[in-house]
Amino acid sequence: MTTSDEGDSESQSVRRDFGALWHPFTQMSEWSREDPLVIERGEGNALIDDQGRRYLDGVSSLWCNVHGHRHPKIDAAIRAQLDRVAHTTMLGLTHPGAAELAERLVGVAPNGLTRVFYSDAGATAVEIALKQAFQYFALRGETNRSRFVSLADAYHGDTIGAMSVGYSEAYHRHHRPLLFDTIRTTPPHVFRWERGLDPRAALQVAIDEARRTFEVHGDEVAALIVEPLVQGAAGIWPHPPEYLAELARLAKEAGALLICDEVATGFGRTGTMFACEQAGVEPDLMCLGKGLTGGYLPLAATLATEAIFEAFVAPYEELATFFHGHTFTGNPLGCAAALASLDVFDDEQTMAHVAEIVPLLHGRLDADVASLPQVGDVRRVGLMVGVELVQDRETRAHYEPALRVGYRASLAARKHGVIIRPLGDTVVLMPPLSITKDEIGQLVDATIAGIREVTGA
Ligand SMILES: *Cc1c(COP(=O)(O)O)cnc(C)c1O
């Protein structure tokens, strides 16, 4: 193929995109003014565009890639499965991959989680957890337990139920009348950041509020749902493990279930296999997605305790069955990828590698990013990082949203060979667990360059 042909095919992809596509979370009037990158290939921690330019995948292809792209073991496992069957249903049939993966997930999950219900996206894993919690109490005759508690600024996905336990002024404004009413409690970071409390005081205020929430509503709560340790889409907002432990304790004391949404935090992203481990918390339900297949394919899972599972086990005519299932639930190619990803965790001692690189990443952030004049806050847990840009460090005054500084800083970082995507004015870094020491340097350097360019520092 000649160079000019490649040029033509590139503009053809963009032409087709502009003519027929509607992108997620994207204002299409802006998109059509852009010069979009057309990603053709991946290789390790890099993405390669149709011009042959390489970029470090600084947000793990939206928080899901774990061991890099085109990992030979995961690729081979998917190919081998493709030679057997691509898809077969979990409704009334089973297959070896789904069964083995369920056993392996129960093996790595926190204690007490013994049953795996598959689906195909983080949002569906959350819907399933909510419906299982609700039906669990209905089946026990505790119909008063019909409500959910969630954290202010939570994000649990974009379907109606997941949105109802989430909260975003901007994302939800046109659908609010469709959402069910959820009880909110405020995590410590809000008090620290918006009311200027120190971390200890903020923690105490947040715990007091959670305690009052359960005092008032305890009897009507089916479950508390939480993104353990880090509220991702809110802007990478961490809370201390003590807060998570206290939430778990309050839910249990009130007789409510605890749902940990580990869709973003699961599979090593926070420095442990699952974030809730760091608080010694054992959820009743746990949602997995994103990194489950190493970030290769759409597969998700909701894990439940045996006590929850058993409440649904009854003669058919009692209609205790969990009547829920998505067509591609437990897809065999996804299961093959997930099994291979778990093997890679063992073979390559991925968590030992993470333990080595996290201090390096945090060290560079503290030394070189936190000190930039327009950086208001550097938040990080493991490989989840948010760098919040502010107009004024002292007052924490935000930039005008129309200035799009986070977005422009991320675009500027591209010129330095790194793909990142912000949340508002928070520049997010979330590299694959397989990122090397050199690549950490490249990621941080490009981020600094991008921030400097748009803030004029
Ligand atoms: C991304 C995310 C979801 C939604 O997952 P999808 O696969 O996009 O539906 C749910 N919860 C959390 C915490 C997430 O970060």
Side-chain angles (χ1 to χ4, degrees):
M1 200 187 260
T2 67
T3 312
S4 71
D5 282 346
E6 281 169 19
D8 284 344
S9 77
E10 180 254 344
S11 56
Q12 190 177 52
S13 291
V14 172
R15 218 169 27 244
R16 286 171 167 161
D17 178 302
F18 285 173
L21 268 175
W22 187 348
H23 284 260
F25 279 97
T26 300
Q27 176 42 257
M28 294 303 288
S29 70
E30 266 179 3
W31 175 254
S32 59
R33 288 197 301 266
E34 271 182 29
D35 183 20
L37 279 191
V38 181
I39 299 299
E40 270 189 356
R41 289 183 298 126
E43 206 175 276
N45 302 319
L47 294 169
I48 300 159
D49 75 4
D50 57 354
Q51 310 292 302
R53 290 176 298 214
R54 293 176 75 89
Y55 301 88
L56 180 64
D57 186 357
V59 284
S60 301
S61 294
L62 223 72
W63 312 4
C64 63
N65 191 279
V66 178
H67 307 293
H69 298 279
R70 302 207 42 218
H71 192 289
K73 286 205 174 128
I74 305 177
D75 285 14
I78 295 170
R79 287 199 185 95
Q81 181 59 46
L82 200 49
D83 284 338
R84 295 192 288 271
V85 64
H87 185 66
T88 161
T89 183
M90 297 295 293
L91 278 68
L93 297 174
T94 191
H95 64 84
E100 186 185 349
L101 179 60
E103 204 177 83
R104 295 273 299 271
L105 288 175
V106 166
V108 295
N111 279 334
L113 296 168
T114 56
R115 294 284 168 174
V116 177
F117 194 101
Y118 290 116
S119 59
D120 50 20
T124 56
V126 167
E127 296 286 344
I128 287 160
L130 298 174
K131 284 178 66 177
Q132 286 178 340
F134 188 92
Q135 186 174 339
Y136 168 75
F137 286 112
L139 291 170
R140 288 162 48 111
E142 294 184 58
T143 46
N144 55 310
R145 292 199 178 274
S146 60
R147 301 188 68 191
F148 295 93
V149 177
S150 67
L151 298 193
D153 285 343
Y155 178 83
H156 297 290
D158 297 330
T159 52
I160 301 289
M163 285 171 76
S164 297
V165 289
Y167 183 79
S168 166
E169 192 60 43
Y171 300 168
H172 293 178
R173 64 188 305 152
H174 297 297
H175 302 102
R176 187 141 319 124
L178 288 176
L179 308 184
F180 60 73
D181 189 34
T182 295
I183 303 157
R184 317 275 173 191
T185 194
T186 319
H189 62 76
V190 175
F191 296 108
R192 188 171 69 75
W193 182 253
E194 286 172 13
R195 306 200 192 157
L197 300 186
D198 68 57
R200 275 285 124 198
L203 175 62
Q204 198 51 54
V205 175
I207 286 176
D208 290 345
E209 185 182 313
R211 196 172 291 145
R212 277 196 308 280
T213 302
F214 277 99
E215 272 164 22
V216 175
H217 297 288
D219 292 349
E220 45 175 343
V221 176
L224 165 83
I225 181 165
V226 59
E227 295 161 81
L229 288 197
V230 189
Q231 290 185 269
I236 316 293
W237 281 105
H239 51 244
E242 297 99 296
Y243 180 65
L244 179 59
E246 186 61 16
L247 285 179
R249 202 190 63 72
L250 288 168
K252 197 184 193 81
E253 193 178 78
L257 301 176
L258 173 69
I259 303 171
C260 282
D261 176 355
E262 294 253 11
V263 171
T265 51
F267 299 99
R269 205 68 69 178
T270 66
T272 48
M273 197 62 171
F274 300 104
C276 59
E277 292 169 24
Q278 294 181 41
V281 160
E282 293 176 358
D284 301 291
L285 292 156
M286 183 165 86
C287 307
L288 301 176
K290 292 192 168 106
L292 171 57
T293 59
Y296 267 58
L297 287 163
L299 181 73
T302 306
L303 275 62
T305 60
E306 202 64 12
I308 294 173
F309 171 75
E310 275 174 358
F312 292 71
V313 179
Y316 181 82
E317 59 277 15
E318 287 181 23
L319 298 180
T321 305
F322 188 51
F323 290 108
H324 186 116
H326 303 279
T327 304
F328 288 105
T329 282
N331 172 261
L333 294 172
C335 290
L339 282 166
S341 173
L342 288 175
D343 286 343
V344 174
F345 268 102
D346 291 338
D347 296 348
E348 298 183 1
Q349 292 293 296
T350 303
M351 294 315 295
H353 172 70
V354 169
E356 242 180 75
I357 57 171
V358 162
L360 195 77
L361 173 63
H362 292 189
R364 283 281 335 257
L365 292 167
D366 293 347
D368 303 324
V369 177
S371 53
L372 295 173
Q374 251 53 62
V375 168
D377 201 13
V378 176
R379 303 184 281 269
R380 75 280 198 287
V381 178
L383 293 169
M384 300 177 79
V385 177
V387 178
E388 180 153 359
L389 305 178
V390 290
Q391 185 141 42
D392 185 318
R393 265 166 91 97
E394 295 314 310
T395 64
R396 288 175 175 167
H398 297 294
Y399 281 103
E400 279 301 313
L403 290 174
R404 314 285 317 269
V405 285
Y407 174 72
R408 288 192 294 119
S410 301
L411 274 189
R414 258 188 216 176
K415 286 184 285 186
H416 304 273
V418 165
I419 291 178
I420 48 180
R421 184 179 164 85
L423 290 160
D425 286 344
T426 297
V427 175
V428 175
L429 312 181
M430 208 179 302
L433 275 55
S434 51
I435 190 170
T436 65
K437 291 176 181 171
D438 286 349
E439 288 167 336
I440 284 178
Q442 189 195 349
L443 177 62
V444 175
D445 289 342
T447 303
I448 293 170
I451 292 172
R452 280 191 191 285
E453 186 170 318
V454 300
T455 60

